[in-house]
Amino acid sequence: MRASSVRENGRQQQSSGSEAASFTDRLPAALSGPWLLRGHDGRLIVYTHVDQAVLRWTESRVGSRDWLGPDVLPAKGLSHLTVAQGRNRYAHLLGRRVRTAKDGSLTVDLTYAIQYQAGRPLSEWRSIGNPHAKRERTALLGAPAAAVGADGALHVFAPTAEGRISMRREDAQGRWESWLDLKVTAALDTPAAAATSTGRLELLAPARTGALAWHLGEPGAAPERGYDAAVVPLPGSMTGVETSPGRVTFYATDVRTGEMAALRAGEWPVPLGGNPGDGRHAAVMTTLDGYPCTVLAHRGADGRIMLGVCVAEDERGGVWWTDTGKACVGDPVLALDGYGRVVILAVSADGSMALARQEDGQGLTLSSWTRI
């Protein structure tokens, strides 16, 4: 493998063209993101969270070098945002919203919106509340994580006071169930969640002595505690991906060693190297030269994007790392485009969005970087 130097009634309206054009030359600083998703029609969609808004770009057509946007989607008061996608390709935007009362006190809740089709407006933002019953404690709520089950139900996980994790999810009719306390007091930060094609959902939360694990065996099932991983994950570094039917692999930075590690239920952690920085890892599954493979990416300790490839669930056989030479701000992200090609997206040092795409040939060769 080598890398090149490498709008509806009742719905929230996106900005006018003139307002969006004001972001073209210089993007505002991102608060979180970016996220890279493939829409229902195969076009890629990019989201990034800035002050009081979400910016969105959409491929003009599948696999195109031309992009539409940025569209400016109002998102007032959000301190954090995460984006999750299910098998139906709906994009669920989930945010932690902070509002100031007349007496100066803060009220925090979680709010979400949905994009059903590429390029269309978001639904209106709706609150799903806060697991803290007392208003003065709502500000103790941490940044949420989300995953969409095989049945299309959104699952929300949030760290609360005293190291607890709370879960809220939709039921089979799309109604929100009550908040559920997952009965721990040792979680340090936002967990990572991943759903599988078989209906299983797994959750991993960083703790001082390891990683706390849960699983839901099927849609609607109660969460069950799993075997905790013997790696202390760097908060904010974890990501999970389905690496074989019904099996999730989490990737995290091990605080003790500073290296990346692969974590799977029932197995010993596997050290991967990769010289990661302090950000989140990205992972996507694809087929290379006839083999199912995991493609990994992160911002290295020197600020440049590292790209890794290994045979799926055979990390012990070796991960082939490549320094792309591309400096970035924040965390790179990975996705497959409408033709099944690997795409890597990152925020360049000048604040612009840039991506590289898999080219034809053996292994994983990336195109030159292009600006959105």
Side-chain angles (χ1 to χ4, degrees):
M1 180 196 68
R2 64 180 177 86
S4 65
S5 55
V6 243
R7 310 141 176 124
E8 299 170 3
N9 292 333
R11 299 283 178 90
Q12 187 171 345
Q13 296 297 310
Q14 62 196 43
S15 69
S16 65
S18 60
E19 184 181 352
S22 67
F23 290 108
T24 302
D25 296 328
R26 185 174 180 82
L27 296 174
L31 300 178
S32 51
W35 296 270
L36 180 63
L37 308 179
R38 189 172 72 230
H40 188 270
D41 60 2
R43 289 188 292 165
L44 291 175
I45 308 168
V46 176
Y47 298 93
T48 189
H49 174 213
V50 300
D51 186 34
Q52 306 300 318
V54 176
L55 303 184
R56 182 188 67 195
W57 292 258
T58 308
E59 275 187 316
S60 61
R61 61 185 184 281
V62 175
S64 173
R65 292 171 61 94
D66 299 323
W67 291 75
L68 307 175
D71 298 321
V72 183
L73 310 174
K76 294 183 178 180
L78 297 190
S79 64
H80 298 81
L81 181 75
T82 189
V83 181
Q85 188 177 41
R87 299 175 67 188
N88 57 15
R89 296 292 172 186
Y90 297 167
H92 299 258
L93 282 65
L94 175 71
R96 178 184 184 271
R97 180 172 59 179
V98 181
R99 291 175 289 180
T100 304
K102 291 181 179 180
D103 62 2
S105 62
L106 298 180
T107 299
V108 174
D109 67 346
L110 298 182
T111 182
Y112 76 104
I114 304 173
Q115 182 178 332
Y116 295 98
Q117 296 180 350
R120 301 296 295 168
L122 292 179
S123 70
E124 63 180 332
W125 290 92
R126 298 180 182 274
S127 176
I128 58 171
N130 186 312
H132 292 290
K134 296 181 179 180
R135 193 184 71 171
E136 61 270 20
R137 292 178 65 82
T138 63
L140 299 174
L141 184 71
V148 182
D151 58 350
L154 179 62
H155 294 64
V156 175
F157 304 93
T160 64
E162 301 169 347
R164 296 182 179 277
I165 300 289
S166 286
M167 180 188 85
R168 196 173 190 192
R169 65 182 172 189
E170 297 175 302
D171 65 16
Q173 286 73 44
R175 298 170 300 198
W176 284 97
E177 298 178 355
S178 300
W179 285 102
L180 178 66
D181 185 351
L182 297 189
K183 305 296 185 182
V184 296
T185 57
L188 292 177
D189 199 13
T190 303
T196 72
S197 58
T198 63
R200 186 180 177 88
L201 191 149
E202 294 193 17
L203 183 72
L204 202 67
R208 288 184 176 84
T209 58
L212 311 175
W214 293 263
H215 66 269
L216 289 74
E218 59 185 12
E224 298 180 22
R225 285 283 274 124
Y227 291 104
D228 297 341
V231 163
V232 179
L234 178 70
S237 70
M238 297 186 300
T239 193
V241 64
E242 184 179 19
T243 47
S244 65
R247 281 169 59 88
V248 172
T249 302
F250 288 97
Y251 298 95
T253 299
D254 186 342
V255 169
R256 296 188 180 107
T257 66
E259 291 189 349
M260 188 176 177
L263 311 173
R264 266 188 302 277
E267 298 184 13
W268 289 104
V270 182
L272 306 180
N275 192 31
D278 59 359
R280 185 181 305 278
H281 302 286
V284 70
M285 297 299 299
T286 190
T287 300
L288 298 173
D289 303 333
Y291 294 95
C293 291
T294 308
V295 179
L296 304 166
H298 57 241
R299 185 168 66 94
D302 60 2
R304 296 197 301 268
I305 297 173
M306 296 292 294
L307 193 67
V309 175
C310 65
V311 175
E313 299 189 359
D314 189 25
E315 295 89 355
R316 286 184 174 82
V319 177
W320 288 265
W321 289 104
T322 298
D323 183 343
T324 67
K326 174 69 173 177
C328 72
V329 176
D331 307 324
V333 289
L334 294 165
L336 301 181
D337 71 7
Y339 295 118
R341 298 175 298 190
V342 174
V343 179
I344 182 169
L345 173 85
V347 179
S348 299
D350 64 0
S352 64
M353 293 281 183
L355 65 82
R357 203 179 302 248
Q358 180 182 359
E359 293 189 326
D360 294 338
Q362 292 186 330
L364 178 60
T365 302
L366 294 181
S367 69
S368 58
W369 291 87
T370 60
R371 180 173 174 170
I372 293 181

